[in-house]
Amino acid sequence: MSMIQFTRNYTDRSNDYGFQFEFFCDKCGNGHMSPFIASKVGVATGLLRAAGSFFGGTIGRAANAGTHLKDALRGQGWDDAYAEAVEAGKQHFKNCTRCGKWVCPRSCWNEGRGLCESCAPDLAEEAASIQAHVAVEQAREKARTVDHVATLDMKQTRTATCPHCAAKVDGGRFCTECGKPLVAQKLSCGKCGTDIPASAKFCPECGSPRSG
């Protein structure tokens, strides 16, 4: 048997009653479904089985015999249906002689060059894409020249969650859920005036006991 082309990207949709195949573009994945080809043996077996469910006996045994016959003939039937579907499917795709891919003519074929768009990109499409990408790059550069956090005080200690109730917070000095301060309050040393953390028992500068 000669080599069958156009087989790299497809899905077998066949069942017990016939054969059908879906072929896909090697570039974008758009597909074409081949016509359903009924299996004469499969249809006959199905009819016999349906009749056997009413009458049983001899007809039921004939259906079982038909199943074995169908299994025996399925290989050749599938091969013939597949070859027919391949020949028909080729009419809906273009073969690129440079890379060998089969692509859909609507989205992935450069008619003017006679090649797929992977090998010969459409210049108008490429220009439009380049313009869009450059515009995005320029927008990023322009955005970098603008101060987007002018109102953000980075000297203030900030926290994402409340240390008391774990609620999510977005700035401010007090939690909107429990009302407690988001930043630990500091006290001043009564002797030297140095700020003392609320958890400290002595002044870190003069060693005096914290008052209050």
Side-chain angles (χ1 to χ4, degrees):
M1 179 183 292
S2 61
M3 182 178 67
I4 299 179
Q5 296 177 320
F6 190 65
T7 61
R8 173 166 47 191
N9 200 359
Y10 78 96
T11 297
D12 185 359
R13 304 290 185 185
S14 305
N15 55 40
D16 287 343
Y17 293 95
F19 311 100
Q20 191 169 33
F21 306 91
E22 187 174 7
F23 299 97
F24 301 95
C25 170
D26 285 332
K27 183 176 184 295
C28 72
N30 284 336
H32 167 73
M33 186 77 75
S34 70
F36 184 80
I37 302 175
S39 170
K40 296 179 180 179
V41 177
V43 172
T45 301
L47 293 175
L48 286 171
R49 183 175 292 108
S53 65
F54 287 103
F55 301 107
T58 303
I59 296 180
R61 288 193 293 272
N64 292 331
T67 299
H68 293 298
L69 178 61
K70 180 186 66 177
D71 291 338
L73 297 179
R74 180 180 296 167
Q76 185 61 47
W78 189 95
D79 289 344
D80 293 341
Y82 179 61
E84 182 179 338
V86 165
E87 289 303 315
K90 288 180 180 180
Q91 309 306 314
H92 299 274
F93 294 85
K94 294 283 190 177
N95 179 225
C96 179
T97 55
R98 183 175 184 273
C99 66
K101 292 181 179 179
W102 289 84
V103 300
C104 59
R106 181 175 181 180
S107 301
C108 303
W109 183 254
N110 188 328
E111 189 67 35
R113 299 292 184 179
L115 297 170
C116 73
E117 290 194 353
S118 293
C119 295
D122 183 285
L123 294 182
E125 291 179 351
E126 290 299 308
S129 177
I130 291 171
Q131 288 177 341
H133 282 83
V134 170
V136 171
E137 293 174 3
Q138 292 177 344
R140 289 196 179 100
E141 292 299 323
K142 189 172 184 179
R144 292 188 180 97
T145 65
V146 179
D147 187 355
H148 298 278
V149 292
T151 60
L152 180 63
D153 184 7
M154 293 304 295
K155 294 181 180 180
Q156 179 185 352
T157 302
R158 307 183 71 85
T159 180
T161 58
C162 173
H164 306 286
C165 68
K168 185 177 180 180
V169 295
D170 185 20
R173 297 177 58 187
F174 296 90
C175 175
T176 57
E177 290 293 325
C178 67
K180 294 182 179 180
L182 298 176
V183 180
Q185 300 297 305
K186 293 183 179 181
L187 304 175
S188 297
C189 175
K191 184 175 181 180
C192 68
T194 300
D195 289 339
I196 303 175
S199 59
K201 295 182 178 180
F202 298 90
C203 174
E205 289 296 324
C206 66
S208 298
R210 191 190 77 182
S211 59

